[in-house]
Amino acid sequence: MGTFTFAAPAPVGIPVVGQSALFPARRVYCVGRNYAEHAKEMGFTGREPPFFFLKPADAIVVVPTGATGEMPYPPLTQNLHHEIELVAAIGKGGKNIAAADAMAHIYGYAVGLDMTRRDLQLAQRDIGRPWDIGKGFDHSAPISPITPAAQVPGIETAPIWLRVNDQVRQKSTVASLIWNMAEVIEHISAAWELQPGDLIMTGTPEGVGPVVKGDLMTGGVEGVGELRVKVI
Ligand code: MN
């Protein structure tokens, strides 16, 4: 391999529960409006085909087990929102993966925050422009360590929640996903070839809302783990 014009950035490595090797993050796919009650609070009703956007992998904030991550309050927004999400980490790639085969492609699960500059996202949405400035900004994807899939047998119905400081803001279960993980993988892999290292943020339940500097977000998915992030 040739040399680079300057030092190439190392891949983002996400800790894996029970081992020292890191999971090398490749892409961060995100599913929009994938819980009915959240779709309603965003002004939509009914089951739509799933749709996707991406965050850059270097927007991931790695938060080691037991640690509290730090997320700088981003520029240009007056309305930074939390979205707690179950994250599926892909271990085996593929394209045109059938839903019936999809779960075997999942290496493990993590807890993630799809942090959103809501004011910017909605301003772009309302004039038909891309969401990137609202969704794909620096530090916009705090993610917990990954728990291997075999250790999370009840994932399909696991409770998911988020507290801000001591107040519960989001509380649902993975069973309330409109498009379940297998269906999401089927749809994504029809449009892109999934590769090991890809992460899928599967969508957020209702209760999204603002955070400000100094707030502590504590979120979790039962059986997967907890994610603690302070806005600084
Ligand atoms: Mn989201």
Side-chain angles (χ1 to χ4, degrees), residues 31 83 85 114 135:
V31 188
E83 295 192 357
E85 310 209 359
D114 168 14
K135 287 290 195 179

PDB file of all heavy atoms in Angstrom, residues 31 83 85 114 135, ligand 1:
ATOM      1  N   VAL A  31     -32.377   4.782  11.061  1.00  0.00           N
ATOM      2  CA  VAL A  31     -33.742   4.623  10.554  1.00  0.00           C
ATOM      3  C   VAL A  31     -34.573   5.793  11.065  1.00  0.00           C
ATOM      4  O   VAL A  31     -34.532   6.120  12.251  1.00  0.00           O
ATOM      5  CB  VAL A  31     -34.375   3.300  11.031  1.00  0.00           C
ATOM      6  CG1 VAL A  31     -35.712   3.063  10.329  1.00  0.00           C
ATOM      7  CG2 VAL A  31     -33.426   2.130  10.791  1.00  0.00           C
ATOM      8  N   GLU A  83     -32.319  11.325  21.242  1.00  0.00           N
ATOM      9  CA  GLU A  83     -33.102  10.203  20.701  1.00  0.00           C
ATOM     10  C   GLU A  83     -32.387   8.932  21.146  1.00  0.00           C
ATOM     11  O   GLU A  83     -31.334   8.592  20.601  1.00  0.00           O
ATOM     12  CB  GLU A  83     -33.173  10.252  19.159  1.00  0.00           C
ATOM     13  CG  GLU A  83     -33.925  11.443  18.602  1.00  0.00           C
ATOM     14  CD  GLU A  83     -34.229  11.307  17.104  1.00  0.00           C
ATOM     15  OE1 GLU A  83     -33.803  10.309  16.477  1.00  0.00           O
ATOM     16  OE2 GLU A  83     -34.903  12.203  16.565  1.00  0.00           O
ATOM     17  N   GLU A  85     -31.701   5.047  21.231  1.00  0.00           N
ATOM     18  CA  GLU A  85     -31.940   4.024  20.204  1.00  0.00           C
ATOM     19  C   GLU A  85     -31.179   2.740  20.498  1.00  0.00           C
ATOM     20  O   GLU A  85     -30.071   2.767  21.050  1.00  0.00           O
ATOM     21  CB  GLU A  85     -31.502   4.555  18.822  1.00  0.00           C
ATOM     22  CG  GLU A  85     -32.087   5.946  18.545  1.00  0.00           C
ATOM     23  CD  GLU A  85     -32.322   6.286  17.093  1.00  0.00           C
ATOM     24  OE1 GLU A  85     -32.009   5.453  16.221  1.00  0.00           O
ATOM     25  OE2 GLU A  85     -32.829   7.407  16.856  1.00  0.00           O
ATOM     26  N   ASP A 114     -29.020   9.152  19.033  1.00  0.00           N
ATOM     27  CA  ASP A 114     -29.042   9.855  17.749  1.00  0.00           C
ATOM     28  C   ASP A 114     -29.304  11.325  18.071  1.00  0.00           C
ATOM     29  O   ASP A 114     -30.436  11.803  18.002  1.00  0.00           O
ATOM     30  CB  ASP A 114     -30.143   9.241  16.861  1.00  0.00           C
ATOM     31  CG  ASP A 114     -30.446  10.080  15.628  1.00  0.00           C
ATOM     32  OD1 ASP A 114     -29.651  10.979  15.296  1.00  0.00           O
ATOM     33  OD2 ASP A 114     -31.488   9.821  14.992  1.00  0.00           O
ATOM     34  N   LYS A 135     -28.400  16.137  11.631  1.00  0.00           N
ATOM     35  CA  LYS A 135     -28.178  14.780  12.136  1.00  0.00           C
ATOM     36  C   LYS A 135     -26.721  14.333  12.146  1.00  0.00           C
ATOM     37  O   LYS A 135     -26.318  13.555  13.006  1.00  0.00           O
ATOM     38  CB  LYS A 135     -28.965  13.788  11.251  1.00  0.00           C
ATOM     39  CG  LYS A 135     -30.477  13.816  11.455  1.00  0.00           C
ATOM     40  CD  LYS A 135     -30.863  13.236  12.807  1.00  0.00           C
ATOM     41  CE  LYS A 135     -32.356  12.910  12.880  1.00  0.00           C
ATOM     42  NZ  LYS A 135     -32.725  12.315  14.181  1.00  0.00           N
TER      43      LYS A 135
HETATM   44 MN    MN B   1     -33.227   8.675  15.333  1.00  0.00          MN
END
